[in-house]
Each structure stands twice: as structure tokens, then as C-alpha cells.
């Protein structure tokens, strides 16, 4: 599967005198995209407040309407958990932008809004912000894997595993685990402790404990108001659908065939951002609910751009549209890509690895 058009791929490899892209990932003397995108980092407090309002208020309204319908025996009301989950995904994008300091000029304003939203998304803000910063600083770096990313082995590493080790990795990368059981475990259980930062001082602990207490209080109130059965009938599907959608988005942003991985000595920030992050070109409605996070190559180039300005970048720089572009249909084929082939410089499937191993000379 190819995620860039043939013309764009050729420009990336060889350059083009007629293109302003001019091989941005390989030629470090060419145009600096980080500098070119700096003007899009301007924050509008009014716009940010508006985006928060049109996300939080519909989410609360949908939750309340669904609970009321279910409480009175109108089970068809559970269909409203689907759009409610969409708004919860969008809430996570708002929290994500708070972590980058993108919604308001004051750092403290971003942090406190992020912490409050974290109660709704089940995500301890300060803990998540630290792991996500590590992800941005190391995405595509083979020597710095393991924090804030999807565990990805190279073909060589996979072949060195025991049979049990291969089975564990196969189970981890299985779609049922990756997009079903895994997201449920991550948001419901794993985020209740600062996993991965257990020895990083008090802040991750304070963040997770405060978030847990913040979750418990409204839970208790809503159970008292509508009853435990109604509460869980509404909350559980919203949480699970949003968690799976969120993990899917994060997965597709970096797990595609022609993504980029390199060792520390060859790793370059701009190169990794453009080639290692996808442009997930979603339909307009899904793009809105996902807060333009599909324009992920631009986000990694300049994480300080507010989510509502990412589409402006593509309008002013259309040459970036086809870089690492994935359509919704193409993205479905990425599920099978599980191993980084260091020789072919692409992600491959277990089947690809097995066939290559069988074809190799003894």
C-alpha cells in the first residue's frame, strides 16, 4: 500500500525544480518547514473557548438525554452513546492541545483545563503530558522506543524472540487486543496508576490520584441520581467506544507501511515528522470529531499549532496534502502491519516476515 501519490513520492526522493516541497525530509539545506509553519502558532483565546463550549455542552446534553431515556425504559436512547463517544474523543483532543499549551497563552490556564477534561476522559493530565512529550521527542527513533507509543519490534528483534515471546507479541498486535481489550485496559485500569513513570517523582502520582478522585465524585453523584444500572449502561459504551477510536487514531498516525524509523545516529526531527507521521485524510465529519489530529505530520512538525489551525496549513501549503497521506479505506490495511523491516525500510505483516524467512537461503 502506498500512502503518497507517485508524483509526491518522487519529489520526496529526488526533488523537483517545480515543487516548493523540494525533498523536505532528505535535504536539510532545503526549506525549513518548522520555520515556515511558525506563523500558524498564534492562539485565539476566544476561538479556544468556543471550541471547548461546543464540545463539552453537547457531550453533557447527550449523556443526560441518554440517561433519561434509559431510565424511563426507552432503550433506543442508547444509540445516542455513539455521538456522545465522538464528543468524548474531541474532548481528548482538547486535552491533548492543553498539553502542548495550544489553547491559551497562559500555561496554567491550559494545565487546569486539561486536568478538568482529564476527569471526563479518564486520563491523568500531568502524567499523560509527560509521556506524550517523550513521544514527540522520540517518534521514529528505534533507540528510544517504549514510552507513549505503540510497541513495535523490528524483524530482527522478532526473530530473536522465543516461541512464547513471539506469541505474546502476536497477541499484543492482534486487532481484538489492540483496538478492543487494549483501549479498555488503558483508559479504565492502566491510567489509574502512573505506569511508566512510577519513579519519576510525585507529580505523576499526584496527577493520577487527583484524577481518580475527580472521577469518583461525579460517578457517585450520577449513580445517586439515576441509579447504578442506568449509569453504567450509558457510561460504559461511551467510554469503550471513545477509547477504541482514540487508540485507532493514534495507531494510524504512525503505523503505516511507508512510515519512518531510524537509529539515533540517523534520526532527524523534521524527517521523522514528515515521513513517520501520517496525513489521515478523513471525511469532514470525522475530521471535526477528531479535531484535525489526522493532519499529524504537520502536528509533529510544529506541535504548538492549535488543532483548529492545522487545516489552514494545508490550504496555504497544498504540497503537504499528499505527504504520507492515508484515506479511510487505505487505513484499514494498516492493521496487519506489525514489524519494522530494517532492510526494506517499511512495516510488514507477520505473513510477510514468514515468507521472507522461508525464502531466505539456509
Amino acid at each position: 500500500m502506498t500512502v503518497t501519490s507517485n508524483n509526491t513520492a518522487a519529489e520526496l526522493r529526488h526533488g523537483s525544480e517545480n515543487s516548493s516541497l523540494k525533498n523536505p525530509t532528505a535535504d536539510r539545506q532545503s526549506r525549513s518547514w518548522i520555520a515556515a509553519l511558525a506563523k500558524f502558532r498564534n492562539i485565539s483565546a476566544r476561538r479556544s473557548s468556543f471550541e471547548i463550549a461546543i464540545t463539552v455542552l453537547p457531550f453533557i446534553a447527550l449523556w443526560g438525554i441518554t440517561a433519561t431515556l434509559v431510565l424511563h425504559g426507552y432503550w433506543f436512547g442508547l444509540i445516542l452513546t455513539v455521538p456522545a463517544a465522538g464528543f468524548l474523543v474531541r474532548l481528548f483532543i482538547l486535552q491533548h492541545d492543553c498539553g502542548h499549551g495550544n489553547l491559551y497563552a497562559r500555561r496554567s490556564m491550559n494545565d487546569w483545563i486539561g486536568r478538568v477534561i482529564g476527569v471526563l476522559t479518564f486520563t491523568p493530565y500531568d502524567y499523560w503530558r509527560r509521556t506524550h512529550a517523550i513521544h514527540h521527542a522520540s517518534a521514529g527513533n528505534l533507540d528510544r522506543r517504549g514510552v507513549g507509543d505503540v510497541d513495535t519490534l523490528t524483524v530482527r528483534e522478532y526473530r530473536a524472540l522465543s516461541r512464547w515471546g513471539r506469541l505474546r507479541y502476536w497477541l499484543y498486535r492482534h486487532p481484538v487486543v489492540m483496538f478492543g481489550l487494549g483501549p479498555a485496559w488503558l483508559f479504565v485500569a492502566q491510567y489509574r496508576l502512573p505506569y511508566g513513570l512510577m519513579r519519576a517523582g510525585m507529580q505523576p502520582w499526584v496527577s493520577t490520584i487527583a484524577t481518580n478522585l475527580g472521577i469518583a465524585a461525579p460517578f457517585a453523584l450520577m449513580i445517586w441520581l439515576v441509579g447504578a444500572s442506568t449509569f453504567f449502561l450509558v457510561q460504559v459504551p461511551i467510554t469503550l467506544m471513545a477509547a477504541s477510536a482514540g487508540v485507532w487514531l493514534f495507531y494510524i498516525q504512525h503505523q503505516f507501511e511507508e512510515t519512518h524509523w531510524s537509529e539515533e545516529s540517523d534520526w532527524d526531527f523534521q524527517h521523522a515528522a514528515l515521513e513517520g507521521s501520517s496525513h489521515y485524510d478523513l471525511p469532514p465529519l470525522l475530521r471535526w470529531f477528531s479535531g484535525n489530529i489526522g493532519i499529524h505530520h504537520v502536528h509533529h512538525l510544529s506541535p504548538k499549532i492549535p488543532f483548529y489551525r492545522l487545516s489552514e496549513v494545508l490550504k496555504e501549503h497544498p504540497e503537504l496534502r499528499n505527504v504520507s497521506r492515508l484515506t479511510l479505506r487505505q487505513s484499514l490495511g494498516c492493521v496487519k502491519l506489525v514489524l519494522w523491516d530494517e532492510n526494506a525500510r517499511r512495516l510488514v505483516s507477520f505473513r510477510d516476515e514468514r515468507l521472507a524467512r522461508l525464502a531466505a537461503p539456509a
Side-chain angles (χ1 to χ4, degrees):
M1 178 182 64
T2 303
V3 295
T4 56
S5 70
N6 292 334
N7 289 339
T8 303
E11 289 170 7
L12 288 173
R13 290 191 297 269
H14 308 298
S16 171
E17 293 181 354
N18 297 321
S19 170
S20 60
L21 191 54
K22 292 284 288 184
N23 193 10
T25 60
D27 183 5
R28 300 186 189 182
Q29 301 304 315
S30 67
R31 180 180 185 178
S32 171
W33 282 102
I34 298 172
L37 301 181
K39 70 175 185 178
F40 295 98
R41 296 168 59 175
N42 294 333
I43 295 171
S44 168
R46 179 177 297 180
R47 175 67 183 273
S48 297
S49 298
F50 173 75
E51 296 291 348
I52 292 173
I54 64 173
T55 306
V56 173
L57 296 179
F59 174 75
I60 294 174
L62 284 168
W63 202 104
I65 293 170
T66 306
T68 301
L69 290 172
V70 172
L71 188 62
H72 289 84
Y74 298 109
W75 299 100
F76 66 84
L78 287 173
I79 194 66
L80 295 179
T81 59
V82 176
F87 280 102
L88 187 56
V89 170
R90 201 169 197 270
L91 276 169
F92 188 88
I93 301 301
L94 292 172
Q95 182 182 9
H96 165 271
D97 262 35
C98 286
H100 286 292
N102 293 351
L103 294 188
Y104 296 95
R106 292 175 57 187
R107 174 83 255 181
S108 60
M109 187 79 164
N110 287 291
D111 288 343
W112 281 108
I113 290 176
R115 289 167 185 144
V116 172
I117 295 176
V119 172
L120 299 175
T121 62
F122 289 17
T123 306
Y125 170 78
D126 295 285
Y127 157 61
W128 177 86
R129 181 167 61 89
R130 292 185 65 169
T131 60
H132 191 65
I134 294 171
H135 163 69
H136 269 267
S138 60
N141 190 323
L142 286 171
D143 296 320
R144 297 176 64 189
R145 288 168 287 169
V147 178
D149 56 15
V150 175
D151 288 347
T152 305
L153 295 181
T154 66
V155 169
R156 185 180 299 112
E157 290 167 341
Y158 177 73
R159 290 177 178 174
L161 292 176
S162 65
R163 182 172 297 182
W164 171 240
R166 292 185 186 184
L167 177 60
R168 284 189 299 174
Y169 186 70
W170 181 87
L171 288 172
Y172 169 74
R173 296 297 296 237
H174 193 280
V176 173
V177 175
M178 182 63 65
F179 307 113
L181 300 177
W185 169 259
L186 177 66
F187 285 91
V188 176
Q190 185 171 312
Y191 277 167
R192 307 287 65 81
L193 288 173
Y195 180 81
L197 295 176
M198 303 288 277
R199 300 180 181 178
M202 287 299 297
Q203 189 181 46
W205 285 96
V206 171
S207 175
T208 53
I209 292 172
T211 301
N212 293 341
L213 293 175
I215 292 170
F219 267 34
L221 175 62
M222 295 310 298
I223 289 173
W224 178 72
L225 287 173
V226 303
S229 59
T230 298
F231 173 79
F232 286 110
L233 278 171
V234 176
Q235 185 63 44
V236 170
I238 291 175
T239 299
L240 296 184
M241 284 189 288
S244 292
V247 169
W248 171 261
L249 286 170
F250 185 78
Y251 180 93
I252 294 302
Q253 287 157 9
H254 299 283
Q255 300 283 316
F256 54 97
E257 184 176 356
E258 295 177 357
T259 188
H260 168 82
W261 287 93
S262 61
E263 295 178 349
E264 177 77 33
S265 58
D266 296 323
W267 188 84
D268 173 72
F269 177 83
Q270 182 167 289
H271 191 152
L274 274 174
E275 289 196 353
S277 306
S278 67
H279 171 205
Y280 195 19
D281 197 357
L282 292 167
L285 182 62
L286 295 180
R287 194 182 311 140
W288 187 88
F289 275 111
S290 60
N292 292 322
I293 200 64
I295 310 175
H296 210 63
H297 59 325
V298 175
H299 170 63
H300 265 260
L301 274 175
S302 188
K304 288 291 186 180
I305 298 177
F307 77 93
Y308 50 79
R309 300 204 66 191
L310 288 172
S311 58
E312 297 177 24
V313 175
L314 296 186
K315 289 179 181 178
E316 185 161 324
H317 300 284
E319 59 270 33
L320 288 172
R321 287 183 180 275
N322 288 325
V323 177
S324 300
R325 180 176 176 269
L326 272 174
T327 64
L328 183 59
R329 182 178 180 180
Q330 287 174 323
S331 69
L332 300 178
C334 296
V335 174
K336 65 182 180 181
L337 304 175
V338 293
L339 296 166
W340 176 249
D341 189 323
E342 293 174 293
N343 294 322
R345 308 295 299 169
R346 64 188 180 92
L347 283 178
V348 298
S349 66
F350 287 123
R351 182 176 182 274
D352 292 333
E353 183 279 329
R354 183 170 62 255
L355 292 175
R357 179 159 38 89
L358 293 173

